[in-house]
């Protein structure tokens, strides 16, 4: 049985930041990451981030990952296991994991779950043909392994991920024939949409995939326009000769461990699916289990990092560590999150958070 003060499940943006703040407070931290590399989405992101200087604005995701790695290696109280899959969180607080083919039991005093989210898919005939990928898989092929996924791509989804990955595909020399989205308007930031439009890529809103074609792999895709009831309009079909169909239609929080641990979960469409009920300290309804990042609700990586810092800080504080300027630092993180979720873009996120955030007595007063 391995004893640890704080166990961080997931070594993506949120998990790394949580580990850093918890370790800086003095806690002994163990990070379990199921992949061979730390960093999660950061190591796939070659674009520059928005936000403020505190959130590494104008720094590329891959470079932010390096900054976080350096901080972790400078601290001597963070242990990291890669190729580590957490299997269960039991009622007695024991965590079981499979690490490089070996079974291990861990007894943490606090747990921070930062497992992220998984890609949603889209149903249409022949959607299992080789050449049909999620956007995250395309990013992994290109930006992690240096493999071009194909020559001609049709991007499904005009949110930030779809727009950004489209631009990255063009940077890699891939022909992006078009971007489509079932929604009547582009969901991503217009700055991203403007970049791909300047490159001559058309964006079709109010369209979805009707069918994919091919014998051994994708060879063609047909899209069709939708009416205001989201029904296909006959006669509006468009055909594209493509060998890659990239699906970017949203993410679902990976909360299976939270369900198993007995945390109260609620379905909140604005946050991507079932998410945990939690306090402003990001502690769930099960004492000692904290959350951060997309498992709380799908947002940008900047928000995930700030939530990670907040969860690491508050988890360490709950263990009794004396943290200099704790309240000021906590308030700063809360204000950063409020700023990132401000304006029209954040309306959906704020509405979703209102449904799952436990208000403190001080806030109610």
């Amino acid at each position: 049985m391995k004893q640890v003060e704080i166990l961080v499940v997931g070594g993506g943006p949120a998990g790394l930041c949580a580990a850093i703040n918890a370790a800086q407070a003095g806690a002994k931290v163990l990070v379990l990451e199921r992949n061979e590399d730390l960093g999660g989405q950061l190591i796939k992101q070659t674009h520059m981030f928005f936000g403020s200087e505190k959130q590494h604005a104008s720094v590329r995701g891959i470079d932010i990952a390096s900054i976080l790695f350096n901080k972790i290696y400078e601290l001597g109280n963070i242990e990291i296991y890669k190729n580590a899959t957490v299997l269960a969180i039991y009622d007695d607080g024991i965590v079981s994991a499979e690490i490089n083919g070996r079974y291990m039991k861990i007894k943490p005093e606090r747990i921070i779950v930062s497992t992220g989210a998984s890609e949603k898919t889209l149903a249409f005939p022949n959607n299992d043909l080789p050449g049909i990928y999620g956007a995250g898989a395309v990013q992994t092929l290109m930006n992690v392994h240096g493999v071009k996924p194909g020559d001609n791509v049709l991007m499904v989804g005009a949110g930030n991920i779809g727009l950004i990955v489209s631009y990255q595909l063009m940077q890699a020399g891939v022909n992006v024939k078009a971007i489509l989205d079932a929604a009547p308007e582009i969901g991503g930031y217009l700055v991203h949409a403007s970049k791909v439009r300047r490159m001559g890529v058309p964006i079709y809103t109010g369209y979805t995939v009707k069918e994919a074609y091919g014998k051994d792999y994708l060879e063609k895709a047909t899209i069709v326009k939708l009416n205001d009831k989201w029904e296909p309009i006959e006669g509006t079909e468009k055909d594209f000769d493509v060998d890659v169909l990239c699906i970017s239609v949203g993410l679902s929080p990976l909360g299976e461990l939270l369900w198993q641990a007995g945390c109260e979960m609620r379905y909140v469409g604005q946050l991507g699916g079932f998410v945990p009920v939690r306090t402003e300290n990001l502690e769930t309804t099960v004492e000692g289990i904290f959350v951060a990042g997309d498992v709380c609700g799908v947002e940008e990586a900047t928000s995930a990092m700030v939530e990670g810092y907040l969860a690491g800080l508050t988890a360490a504080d709950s263990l009794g560590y004396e943290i200099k300027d704790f309240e000021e630092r906590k308030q700063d993180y809360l204000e950063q999150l409020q700023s990132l979720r401000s304006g029209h873009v954040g309306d959906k996120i704020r509405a979703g958070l209102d449904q799952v955030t436990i208000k403190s007595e001080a806030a109610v007063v």
Side-chain angles (χ1 to χ4, degrees), residues 52 66 109 133 144 160 189 324 356:
S52 67
S66 296
E109 295 180 45
Y133 301 91
V144 178
N160 281 331
Y189 294 135
K324 184 180 179 181
V356 291

Side-chain angles (χ1 to χ4, degrees), residues 6 19 22 41 136 164 204 241 281 317 325:
I6 295 179
Q41 295 302 311
I164 289 170
Y204 297 97
D241 294 324
N281 286 350
D317 176 71
D325 302 327

Side-chain angles (χ1 to χ4, degrees), residues 40-79:
Q41 295 302 311
L42 290 176
I43 63 172
K44 307 175 187 180
Q45 295 173 334
T46 58
H47 62 280
M48 293 183 180
F49 274 40
F50 294 130
S52 67
E53 184 177 353
K54 292 179 179 178
Q55 293 119 34
H56 306 287
S58 299
V59 180
R60 300 184 188 279
I62 52 176
D63 295 325
I64 295 172
S66 296
I67 292 170
L68 298 180
F69 295 159
N70 290 335
K71 286 183 180 179
I72 284 175
Y73 297 138
E74 287 171 3
L75 296 163
N77 49 347
I78 299 178
E79 192 174 5

Side-chain angles (χ1 to χ4, degrees), residues 234-264:
E234 189 175 349
T236 61
E237 292 85 356
K238 296 179 184 293
D239 294 331
F240 293 89
D241 294 324
V242 291
D243 56 357
V244 173
L245 196 59
C246 186
I247 310 295
S248 178
V249 293
L251 303 170
S252 295
L254 285 169
E256 290 86 350
L257 289 174
L258 300 173
W259 283 100
Q260 188 184 54
C263 302
E264 182 180 350

Side-chain angles (χ1 to χ4, degrees), residues 64-360:
I64 295 172
S66 296
I67 292 170
L68 298 180
F69 295 159
N70 290 335
K71 286 183 180 179
I72 284 175
Y73 297 138
E74 287 171 3
L75 296 163
N77 49 347
I78 299 178
E79 192 174 5
I80 297 170
Y81 290 165
K82 303 174 186 177
N83 297 309
T85 300
V86 174
L87 305 173
I89 300 175
Y90 296 102
D91 292 342
D92 58 2
I94 300 294
V95 175
S96 66
E98 184 270 316
I99 303 171
N100 287 314
R102 298 184 62 186
Y103 181 78
M104 177 180 285
K105 294 205 303 187
I106 305 161
K107 178 59 178 175
E109 295 180 45
R110 299 291 186 271
I111 302 172
I112 300 174
V113 176
S114 54
T115 45
S118 63
E119 292 188 286
K120 294 180 180 178
T121 187
L122 193 63
F124 53 86
N126 299 319
N127 70 345
D128 59 348
L129 279 171
I132 300 177
Y133 301 91
V138 167
Q139 276 193 310
T140 302
L141 283 172
M142 289 194 304
N143 300 341
V144 178
H145 301 298
V147 175
K148 192 169 74 168
D151 296 314
N152 295 286
V153 176
L154 180 62
M155 176 65 67
V156 184
N160 281 331
I161 295 176
L163 297 170
I164 289 170
V165 174
S166 294
Y167 191 72
Q168 292 175 353
L169 282 161
M170 287 185 281
Q171 288 178 310
V174 178
N175 178 24
V176 178
K177 290 206 164 183
I179 301 170
L180 63 136
D181 200 299
E185 296 180 355
I186 294 169
Y189 294 135
L190 292 181
V191 63
H192 296 316
S194 297
K195 285 200 301 185
V196 295
R197 275 180 166 157
R198 284 197 299 268
M199 301 285 285
V201 178
I203 300 177
Y204 297 97
T205 55
Y207 275 83
T208 191
V209 178
K210 181 178 180 180
E211 190 168 355
Y213 304 89
K215 183 179 179 182
D216 298 319
Y217 52 86
L218 179 68
E219 298 175 33
K220 187 175 75 170
T222 299
I223 69 174
V224 64
K225 190 166 180 60
L226 302 172
N227 62 23
D228 56 5
K229 296 181 180 179
W230 298 77
E231 299 168 334
I233 302 172
E234 189 175 349
T236 61
E237 292 85 356
K238 296 179 184 293
D239 294 331
F240 293 89
D241 294 324
V242 291
D243 56 357
V244 173
L245 196 59
C246 186
I247 310 295
S248 178
V249 293
L251 303 170
S252 295
L254 285 169
E256 290 86 350
L257 289 174
L258 300 173
W259 283 100
Q260 188 184 54
C263 302
E264 182 180 350
M265 306 288 284
R266 293 179 187 170
Y267 184 85
V268 182
Q270 298 97 321
L271 300 179
F274 281 98
V275 292
V277 174
R278 67 278 196 168
T279 67
E280 69 172 11
N281 286 350
L282 297 180
E283 186 171 17
T284 67
T285 54
V286 174
E287 185 178 357
I289 298 182
F290 296 75
V291 287
D294 280 352
V295 72
C296 298
V298 177
E299 297 187 66
E300 299 294 319
T302 47
S303 297
M305 289 188 290
V306 178
E307 283 189 337
Y309 284 130
L310 176 60
L313 183 78
T314 55
D317 176 71
S318 72
L319 286 173
Y321 282 97
E322 293 186 11
I323 302 174
K324 184 180 179 181
D325 302 327
F326 170 77
E327 288 297 337
E328 290 83 356
R329 290 176 63 188
K330 172 185 166 182
Q331 190 59 38
D332 178 52
Y333 293 133
L334 291 173
E335 289 174 359
Q336 287 185 53
L337 289 169
Q338 185 178 17
S339 175
L340 289 168
R341 296 161 177 162
S342 63
H344 176 68
V345 174
D347 287 346
K348 182 177 73 169
I349 299 297
R350 296 195 304 274
L353 291 172
D354 285 343
Q355 301 177 51
V356 291
T357 304
I358 300 171
K359 306 295 183 183
S360 66

Side-chain angles (χ1 to χ4, degrees), residues 6-21:
I6 295 179
L7 171 64
V8 177
V9 183
L16 294 179
C17 293
I20 288 168
N21 257 10

